[in-house]
């Protein structure tokens, strides 16, 4: 364990959409990568969840997964989001990480739902800020064009740019900077292969190491 890491001793709450809702997607690789840095991590992913769904318990139509600390991930067949206020009160994380963007980008719609996305992101960010919890928002990766969800490079760039301007006071991590278009293979255009998720996890941790994060007294 890299106890000399800038992340050592920090507690992380990670929430997100389908990328975190399956252990072999981003959930395990990111959780493990942060744990190797000496962080204590609670990860919770809910398939199909938009940002506003985390303001109240919202059932998922397609399941989810959760992992705490060194325990194995648990697959949640009847998953629902948990209200962010309750999660922050119970976990008291040093840093909250939101991994979200693809679900809200509406790749299958002709127009980008800018007003709706702003309402979604703003409501979640305000709820986190009300708890005085430092946060980092991780935007979507390139993925591949086409596939089940109709993802396009133009739309994911629009989504990432919009998030970068909309999630303050959370710091924004632009995942499009981590790879070239189509460099990370996918299984359906949106969700990566395990190799891609491992590469994405490593890039996220590297970005977190370069991000000024709080260090509470005694840590």
């Amino acid at each position: 364990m890299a106890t000399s890491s800038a992340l050592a001793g920090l507690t992380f709450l990670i929430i997100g959409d389908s990328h975190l809702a399956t252990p072999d997607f981003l959930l395990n690789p990111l959780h493990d990568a942060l744990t190797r840095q000496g962080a204590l991590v609670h990860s919770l992913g809910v398939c199909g969840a938009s940002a506003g769904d985390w303001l109240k318990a919202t059932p998922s139509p397609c399941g989810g997964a959760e992992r705490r600390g060194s325990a194995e991930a648990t697959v949640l067949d009847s998953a629902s989001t948990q209200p962010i206020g309750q999660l922050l009160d119970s976990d008291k994380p040093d840093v909250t990480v939101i991994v979200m963007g693809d679900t809200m980008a509406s790749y299958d719609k002709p127009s980008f739902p800018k007003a709706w996305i702003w309402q979604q992101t703003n409501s979640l960010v305000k709820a986190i800020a009300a708890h005085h919890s430092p946060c980092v928002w991780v935007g979507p990766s390139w993925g591949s064009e086409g596939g089940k969800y109709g993802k396009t490079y133009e739309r994911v760039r629009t989504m990432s740019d919009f998030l970068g301007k909309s999630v303050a006071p959370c710091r924004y991590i632009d995942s499009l900077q981590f790879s070239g278009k189509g460099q990370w293979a996918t299984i359906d255009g949106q969700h990566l292969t395990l190799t891609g998720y491992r590469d994405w996890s490593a890039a996220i941790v590297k970005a977190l190491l370069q991000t000024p994060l709080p260090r509470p007294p005694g840590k």
Side-chain angles (χ1 to χ4, degrees), residues 154-171:
E154 179 181 4
R155 178 64 64 87
V156 74
R157 164 56 74 191
T158 299
M159 184 68 186
S160 183
D161 289 348
F162 186 74
L163 287 173
K165 300 171 184 175
S166 306
V167 299
C170 295
R171 294 180 178 273

PDB file of all heavy atoms in Angstrom, residues 154-171:
ATOM      1  N   GLU A 154     -19.227  13.498 -31.163  1.00  0.00           N
ATOM      2  CA  GLU A 154     -19.681  14.892 -31.080  1.00  0.00           C
ATOM      3  C   GLU A 154     -20.522  15.117 -29.824  1.00  0.00           C
ATOM      4  O   GLU A 154     -20.315  16.100 -29.092  1.00  0.00           O
ATOM      5  CB  GLU A 154     -20.497  15.250 -32.318  1.00  0.00           C
ATOM      6  CG  GLU A 154     -21.023  16.688 -32.284  1.00  0.00           C
ATOM      7  CD  GLU A 154     -21.861  17.025 -33.506  1.00  0.00           C
ATOM      8  OE1 GLU A 154     -22.108  16.129 -34.347  1.00  0.00           O
ATOM      9  OE2 GLU A 154     -22.281  18.194 -33.601  1.00  0.00           O
ATOM     10  N   ARG A 155     -21.430  14.191 -29.521  1.00  0.00           N
ATOM     11  CA  ARG A 155     -22.303  14.374 -28.364  1.00  0.00           C
ATOM     12  C   ARG A 155     -21.527  14.206 -27.047  1.00  0.00           C
ATOM     13  O   ARG A 155     -21.764  14.940 -26.086  1.00  0.00           O
ATOM     14  CB  ARG A 155     -23.480  13.403 -28.417  1.00  0.00           C
ATOM     15  CG  ARG A 155     -24.448  13.475 -27.217  1.00  0.00           C
ATOM     16  CD  ARG A 155     -25.166  14.833 -27.106  1.00  0.00           C
ATOM     17  NE  ARG A 155     -26.016  15.101 -28.225  1.00  0.00           N
ATOM     18  CZ  ARG A 155     -27.289  14.721 -28.335  1.00  0.00           C
ATOM     19  NH1 ARG A 155     -27.860  14.044 -27.351  1.00  0.00           N
ATOM     20  NH2 ARG A 155     -28.004  15.038 -29.395  1.00  0.00           N
ATOM     21  N   VAL A 156     -20.607  13.253 -26.999  1.00  0.00           N
ATOM     22  CA  VAL A 156     -19.873  13.068 -25.748  1.00  0.00           C
ATOM     23  C   VAL A 156     -18.957  14.262 -25.500  1.00  0.00           C
ATOM     24  O   VAL A 156     -18.745  14.663 -24.346  1.00  0.00           O
ATOM     25  CB  VAL A 156     -19.099  11.727 -25.730  1.00  0.00           C
ATOM     26  CG1 VAL A 156     -17.861  11.758 -26.618  1.00  0.00           C
ATOM     27  CG2 VAL A 156     -18.711  11.355 -24.301  1.00  0.00           C
ATOM     28  N   ARG A 157     -18.423  14.873 -26.551  1.00  0.00           N
ATOM     29  CA  ARG A 157     -17.635  16.101 -26.375  1.00  0.00           C
ATOM     30  C   ARG A 157     -18.525  17.227 -25.868  1.00  0.00           C
ATOM     31  O   ARG A 157     -18.137  17.970 -24.960  1.00  0.00           O
ATOM     32  CB  ARG A 157     -16.955  16.478 -27.699  1.00  0.00           C
ATOM     33  CG  ARG A 157     -16.421  17.913 -27.758  1.00  0.00           C
ATOM     34  CD  ARG A 157     -15.450  18.219 -26.639  1.00  0.00           C
ATOM     35  NE  ARG A 157     -14.169  17.585 -26.846  1.00  0.00           N
ATOM     36  CZ  ARG A 157     -13.223  17.524 -25.901  1.00  0.00           C
ATOM     37  NH1 ARG A 157     -13.461  18.035 -24.703  1.00  0.00           N
ATOM     38  NH2 ARG A 157     -12.064  16.937 -26.138  1.00  0.00           N
ATOM     39  N   THR A 158     -19.722  17.353 -26.430  1.00  0.00           N
ATOM     40  CA  THR A 158     -20.658  18.375 -25.955  1.00  0.00           C
ATOM     41  C   THR A 158     -20.986  18.160 -24.487  1.00  0.00           C
ATOM     42  O   THR A 158     -21.023  19.100 -23.690  1.00  0.00           O
ATOM     43  CB  THR A 158     -21.955  18.326 -26.793  1.00  0.00           C
ATOM     44  OG1 THR A 158     -21.639  18.600 -28.161  1.00  0.00           O
ATOM     45  CG2 THR A 158     -22.978  19.354 -26.295  1.00  0.00           C
ATOM     46  N   MET A 159     -21.231  16.904 -24.116  1.00  0.00           N
ATOM     47  CA  MET A 159     -21.565  16.581 -22.725  1.00  0.00           C
ATOM     48  C   MET A 159     -20.414  16.908 -21.797  1.00  0.00           C
ATOM     49  O   MET A 159     -20.605  17.527 -20.739  1.00  0.00           O
ATOM     50  CB  MET A 159     -21.929  15.094 -22.619  1.00  0.00           C
ATOM     51  CG  MET A 159     -22.381  14.669 -21.231  1.00  0.00           C
ATOM     52  SD  MET A 159     -23.975  15.426 -20.813  1.00  0.00           S
ATOM     53  CE  MET A 159     -24.157  14.920 -19.111  1.00  0.00           C
ATOM     54  N   SER A 160     -19.220  16.508 -22.163  1.00  0.00           N
ATOM     55  CA  SER A 160     -18.060  16.742 -21.310  1.00  0.00           C
ATOM     56  C   SER A 160     -17.789  18.236 -21.135  1.00  0.00           C
ATOM     57  O   SER A 160     -17.531  18.701 -20.021  1.00  0.00           O
ATOM     58  CB  SER A 160     -16.824  16.054 -21.902  1.00  0.00           C
ATOM     59  OG  SER A 160     -15.714  16.209 -21.051  1.00  0.00           O
ATOM     60  N   ASP A 161     -17.866  18.979 -22.222  1.00  0.00           N
ATOM     61  CA  ASP A 161     -17.644  20.430 -22.135  1.00  0.00           C
ATOM     62  C   ASP A 161     -18.692  21.089 -21.249  1.00  0.00           C
ATOM     63  O   ASP A 161     -18.379  21.987 -20.449  1.00  0.00           O
ATOM     64  CB  ASP A 161     -17.686  21.057 -23.527  1.00  0.00           C
ATOM     65  CG  ASP A 161     -16.470  20.695 -24.372  1.00  0.00           C
ATOM     66  OD1 ASP A 161     -15.497  20.154 -23.809  1.00  0.00           O
ATOM     67  OD2 ASP A 161     -16.508  20.954 -25.595  1.00  0.00           O
ATOM     68  N   PHE A 162     -19.943  20.636 -21.371  1.00  0.00           N
ATOM     69  CA  PHE A 162     -21.015  21.220 -20.564  1.00  0.00           C
ATOM     70  C   PHE A 162     -20.814  20.909 -19.088  1.00  0.00           C
ATOM     71  O   PHE A 162     -20.971  21.786 -18.226  1.00  0.00           O
ATOM     72  CB  PHE A 162     -22.371  20.714 -21.040  1.00  0.00           C
ATOM     73  CG  PHE A 162     -23.539  21.371 -20.362  1.00  0.00           C
ATOM     74  CD1 PHE A 162     -23.896  22.680 -20.672  1.00  0.00           C
ATOM     75  CD2 PHE A 162     -24.287  20.708 -19.406  1.00  0.00           C
ATOM     76  CE1 PHE A 162     -24.962  23.304 -20.038  1.00  0.00           C
ATOM     77  CE2 PHE A 162     -25.353  21.316 -18.774  1.00  0.00           C
ATOM     78  CZ  PHE A 162     -25.690  22.619 -19.093  1.00  0.00           C
ATOM     79  N   LEU A 163     -20.449  19.666 -18.774  1.00  0.00           N
ATOM     80  CA  LEU A 163     -20.201  19.307 -17.378  1.00  0.00           C
ATOM     81  C   LEU A 163     -19.052  20.135 -16.800  1.00  0.00           C
ATOM     82  O   LEU A 163     -19.110  20.575 -15.652  1.00  0.00           O
ATOM     83  CB  LEU A 163     -19.880  17.817 -17.268  1.00  0.00           C
ATOM     84  CG  LEU A 163     -21.035  16.847 -17.447  1.00  0.00           C
ATOM     85  CD1 LEU A 163     -20.517  15.413 -17.487  1.00  0.00           C
ATOM     86  CD2 LEU A 163     -22.064  16.999 -16.325  1.00  0.00           C
ATOM     87  N   GLY A 164     -18.020  20.337 -17.605  1.00  0.00           N
ATOM     88  CA  GLY A 164     -16.882  21.099 -17.126  1.00  0.00           C
ATOM     89  C   GLY A 164     -17.242  22.512 -16.697  1.00  0.00           C
ATOM     90  O   GLY A 164     -16.570  23.101 -15.843  1.00  0.00           O
ATOM     91  N   LYS A 165     -18.317  23.042 -17.264  1.00  0.00           N
ATOM     92  CA  LYS A 165     -18.756  24.398 -16.940  1.00  0.00           C
ATOM     93  C   LYS A 165     -19.896  24.424 -15.933  1.00  0.00           C
ATOM     94  O   LYS A 165     -20.338  25.505 -15.544  1.00  0.00           O
ATOM     95  CB  LYS A 165     -19.217  25.107 -18.219  1.00  0.00           C
ATOM     96  CG  LYS A 165     -18.139  25.232 -19.284  1.00  0.00           C
ATOM     97  CD  LYS A 165     -18.723  25.750 -20.590  1.00  0.00           C
ATOM     98  CE  LYS A 165     -17.673  25.793 -21.685  1.00  0.00           C
ATOM     99  NZ  LYS A 165     -18.259  26.193 -22.998  1.00  0.00           N
ATOM    100  N   SER A 166     -20.381  23.240 -15.524  1.00  0.00           N
ATOM    101  CA  SER A 166     -21.625  23.189 -14.758  1.00  0.00           C
ATOM    102  C   SER A 166     -21.519  22.560 -13.379  1.00  0.00           C
ATOM    103  O   SER A 166     -22.501  22.600 -12.628  1.00  0.00           O
ATOM    104  CB  SER A 166     -22.691  22.405 -15.548  1.00  0.00           C
ATOM    105  OG  SER A 166     -22.861  22.930 -16.845  1.00  0.00           O
ATOM    106  N   VAL A 167     -20.403  21.970 -13.021  1.00  0.00           N
ATOM    107  CA  VAL A 167     -20.366  21.177 -11.794  1.00  0.00           C
ATOM    108  C   VAL A 167     -19.626  21.852 -10.644  1.00  0.00           C
ATOM    109  O   VAL A 167     -19.453  21.240  -9.590  1.00  0.00           O
ATOM    110  CB  VAL A 167     -19.764  19.778 -12.048  1.00  0.00           C
ATOM    111  CG1 VAL A 167     -20.609  19.027 -13.065  1.00  0.00           C
ATOM    112  CG2 VAL A 167     -18.311  19.874 -12.497  1.00  0.00           C
ATOM    113  N   ALA A 168     -19.184  23.080 -10.817  1.00  0.00           N
ATOM    114  CA  ALA A 168     -18.542  23.792  -9.707  1.00  0.00           C
ATOM    115  C   ALA A 168     -19.535  23.907  -8.546  1.00  0.00           C
ATOM    116  O   ALA A 168     -20.742  24.050  -8.769  1.00  0.00           O
ATOM    117  CB  ALA A 168     -18.101  25.173 -10.163  1.00  0.00           C
ATOM    118  N   PRO A 169     -19.083  23.816  -7.285  1.00  0.00           N
ATOM    119  CA  PRO A 169     -17.687  23.828  -6.842  1.00  0.00           C
ATOM    120  C   PRO A 169     -16.967  22.496  -6.916  1.00  0.00           C
ATOM    121  O   PRO A 169     -15.826  22.399  -6.466  1.00  0.00           O
ATOM    122  CB  PRO A 169     -17.814  24.297  -5.393  1.00  0.00           C
ATOM    123  CG  PRO A 169     -19.120  23.729  -4.942  1.00  0.00           C
ATOM    124  CD  PRO A 169     -20.025  23.855  -6.135  1.00  0.00           C
ATOM    125  N   CYS A 170     -17.610  21.445  -7.452  1.00  0.00           N
ATOM    126  CA  CYS A 170     -16.854  20.212  -7.670  1.00  0.00           C
ATOM    127  C   CYS A 170     -15.755  20.484  -8.708  1.00  0.00           C
ATOM    128  O   CYS A 170     -15.975  21.232  -9.663  1.00  0.00           O
ATOM    129  CB  CYS A 170     -17.756  19.097  -8.199  1.00  0.00           C
ATOM    130  SG  CYS A 170     -19.047  18.539  -7.071  1.00  0.00           S
ATOM    131  N   ARG A 171     -14.622  19.874  -8.532  1.00  0.00           N
ATOM    132  CA  ARG A 171     -13.579  19.921  -9.555  1.00  0.00           C
ATOM    133  C   ARG A 171     -13.942  18.931 -10.653  1.00  0.00           C
ATOM    134  O   ARG A 171     -14.485  17.868 -10.367  1.00  0.00           O
ATOM    135  CB  ARG A 171     -12.212  19.603  -8.951  1.00  0.00           C
ATOM    136  CG  ARG A 171     -11.746  20.662  -7.952  1.00  0.00           C
ATOM    137  CD  ARG A 171     -10.390  20.322  -7.380  1.00  0.00           C
ATOM    138  NE  ARG A 171      -9.932  21.345  -6.461  1.00  0.00           N
ATOM    139  CZ  ARG A 171      -9.263  22.433  -6.806  1.00  0.00           C
ATOM    140  NH1 ARG A 171      -8.970  22.633  -8.084  1.00  0.00           N
ATOM    141  NH2 ARG A 171      -8.871  23.316  -5.913  1.00  0.00           N
TER     142      ARG A 171
END
